Amino acid sequence: MDPLTVEQAREYLASQGIDLPDFLLEALVAQANSIIDCLNKHYPASTGLLIMLYLVSLMALGQGDRYISSQSAPSGASRSFRYLSFADRWRGQLSLLRGLDKFGCAGGLIPPDPTQTAHAGLWIARGGCMCG
């Protein structure tokens, strides 16, 4: 399998409405390419490519919840963004990645789920007898 290129990643992310600066995209692609040996050992090239693309998209989604929902150009430049349903987008990409990566090659690189929040509380109870 060949390493993932920045151009492949950019094209895939653009299809998902995600736009990142080049320096950040290059860093994410380098991270995805770090698992090539594991992917080559367990998967055909096409599956490995998808795993790397899904991994890059998860890492990119973790950069923020804004994505391009529409754009137009020649002369009347316009760009619309969407901010809703980040959690759904995150879970969808994570499901795609985990569904393909049965051997866990990308497991160590998946960012923590930003949609999970911990709720803690302190409960204090005082017992007594309500006798007589």
Side-chain angles (χ1 to χ4, degrees):
M1 157 184 309
D2 294 328
L4 180 66
T5 67
V6 171
E7 190 51 46
Q8 287 172 315
R10 181 180 293 113
E11 189 175 332
Y12 178 70
L13 292 175
S15 76
Q16 301 299 305
I18 301 169
D19 184 30
L20 296 175
D22 287 343
F23 72 91
L24 183 56
L25 185 55
E26 289 168 8
L28 296 179
V29 167
Q31 286 292 301
N33 283 332
S34 73
I35 64 171
I36 284 180
D37 290 339
C38 181
L39 295 174
N40 282 334
K41 181 178 177 182
H42 298 290
Y43 302 106
S46 59
T47 303
L49 175 63
L50 290 172
I51 288 170
M52 287 192 296
L53 288 170
Y54 296 159
L55 176 61
V56 167
S57 69
L58 276 175
M59 292 188 289
L61 281 171
Q63 304 302 312
D65 65 351
R66 181 181 85 160
Y67 64 99
I68 299 168
S69 62
S70 68
Q71 60 185 7
S72 53
S75 71
S78 171
R79 191 179 253 188
S80 299
F81 297 95
R82 236 175 137 176
Y83 295 89
L84 301 175
S85 195
F86 172 76
D88 290 338
R89 292 179 70 214
W90 177 270
R91 283 191 292 271
Q93 287 297 117
L94 186 58
S95 292
L96 288 171
L97 175 60
R98 288 194 172 145
L100 278 180
D101 190 10
K102 303 289 186 206
F103 293 96
C105 295
L109 293 174
I110 297 172
D113 186 346
T115 67
Q116 294 296 315
T117 55
H119 299 284
L122 178 61
W123 292 87
I124 301 174
R126 190 167 187 187
C129 179
M130 302 279 255
C131 305

